[in-house]
Amino acid sequence: MVIKVLGTGCANCVRLKELANAVIQELDIEGEVVEVTDISTIMGYGVTATPGLVIDEKLIGYGGVPSKAQLTSLVQQAA
Amino acid sequence: MSGGFTLVEPEADAEPQADVIIFGQPEKSHTGWRPFLWLAAAAATWLIAWYVIQDLADWISYTLLGLEHGSRVGESLAFFLYDVPKILLLLSGMIFLVTVIRTFFSAEKTRAVLSGKRLGLGNAMAACLGVLTPFCSCSAVPLFIGFVESGIPLGVTFSFLISAPMVNEVALGMLFGMFGWQIAGIYLVTGLMVAIVAGFVIGKIPHVERGVEDFVWDVAVGKTEIAAANLTWGDRMAEGWKATKEIVGKVWPYVLIGIAIGALIHGYVPENALAGILGAEAWWSVPASVALGVPMYSNAAGIIPVVHALTEKGAALGTVLAFMMSVVALSLPEMIILRRVLKPRLIALFVGVVATGILLVGYLFNMVI
């Protein structure tokens, strides 16, 4: 599983990245968390606010940091 | 109007990504009468607090601590003890209210409403939507590209980008608390005017779109479909409560420090000491305060109490208003964020036009009041 965090280094982007790392570790899922900082690539996913969360090339959500429970269930659904 | 360029249609013709979540909205639905009960309880607590804080502050300063009425220490302390809870109460109320209103708006809806709007009416709508749309300057870049790509004229986009940070709930709540609703209202109206006119002027400048970084025109913006939110009133209130906790939790130290400095000025600086340098007669004080405001990236929470104390000592309202607008509307961090999509000359133009607008507001008030 590839989790992409779309963002240009804002505080929430960093928080989302850390949260995603923690979640895949806890769920013991094989995967990596990648940061996407190129603005053209970010816009290609169709977000209007950062950070954005992409799991296996599908845009899941954006505009904030989900709760840990929400992120966990989203990752489980995608796995 | 934006002559000489054709907008590149996004090449991404792929299926829009469906059911995308906007993070941060309540995950559980709050239904039934419980949220209203909470609201009633919160409103009652708020009102009771509102009516006891003055007496409480006086009682602590003069009875409990036995300070003398009219003494400098006593005056400063009573002022501080009354102002801190008063401001925090008004600020909380304002943030809650504005956040609940904002749950009816989103960047996506705003973009759809503004796309294809012309300069003029478009600027007015963009400025108003700038106040009502949930927006964080950290997302200014994707928002800017999204606006431009969906055919919103640059001038209209700028009206949004000027009003969103300038007319915000913290500034309005603080002004309401320190200066009263009239001044908060004046700030709201003049802030909107500056955003409308500055955006309009920028949009009228020939070839202004060349100041946008070239890559912006080539970005292929993906399509998304937001999962229908269907917020209940309970959800909206939950969001308001969350935002209130979050923002007040972040700004209270600034409020405290700001009011402490204000209280010192209140108690120790002689009356009219500042009339000479910051009064209405000193014509240069308005541009000086605008220039001083640009590098200062403070939130309105810390600046307004200080500014209020300065007006008590003879600083002119227009000068002070111009300073505040400059602090919140023209901040260096925002310029750095916008630099990713704007060439330096357009940033310079943006700063110049907005600063001129603020300057005019300052002079206008110094003349009228």
Side-chain angles (χ1 to χ4, degrees), chain A:
Chain A
M1 172 182 290
V2 180
I3 297 179
K4 286 184 179 170
V5 174
L6 314 177
T8 48
C10 54
N12 276 342
C13 310
V14 178
R15 273 172 56 203
L16 180 58
K17 192 183 140 202
E18 283 166 0
L19 195 65
N21 266 320
V23 165
I24 56 170
Q25 235 168 40
E26 256 173 49
L27 292 176
D28 203 15
I29 286 174
E30 213 163 296
E32 54 170 342
V33 180
V34 190
E35 245 179 312
V36 179
T37 53
D38 177 58
I39 187 70
S40 301
T41 317
I42 292 174
M43 293 308 294
Y45 288 101
V47 301
T48 54
T50 50
L53 177 76
V54 172
I55 300 182
D56 289 335
E57 286 313 300
K58 185 182 182 307
L59 178 66
I60 303 295
Y62 60 86
V65 182
S67 68
K68 194 167 183 184
Q70 190 183 15
L71 185 62
T72 306
S73 86
L74 288 169
V75 170
Q76 277 171 331
Q77 276 170 34

Side-chain angles (χ1 to χ4, degrees), chain A residues 8 10 16 37 39-40 43-53 57-67 69-70 74, chain B residues 12 17-25 27 107-108 111 138-139 141-143 145-146 215 219-224 226 340-341:
Chain A
T8 48
C10 54
L16 180 58
T37 53
I39 187 70
S40 301
M43 293 308 294
Y45 288 101
V47 301
T48 54
T50 50
L53 177 76
E57 286 313 300
K58 185 182 182 307
L59 178 66
I60 303 295
Y62 60 86
V65 182
S67 68
Q70 190 183 15
L74 288 169
Chain B
Q17 303 227 35
D19 290 341
V20 174
I21 305 162
I22 304 290
F23 289 137
Q25 287 181 348
E27 295 157 43
E108 290 74 18
R111 191 173 61 182
C138 48
S139 285
V141 165
L143 183 116
I145 298 178
F215 83 91
V219 170
V221 177
K223 297 186 192 108
T224 50
I226 311 293
R340 299 175 74 111
V341 282

Side-chain angles (χ1 to χ4, degrees), chain B residues 80-91:
Chain B
F80 180 80
L81 289 179
Y82 170 59
D83 262 21
V84 170
K86 181 183 86 173
I87 299 302
L88 289 178
L89 279 173
L90 279 169
L91 200 57

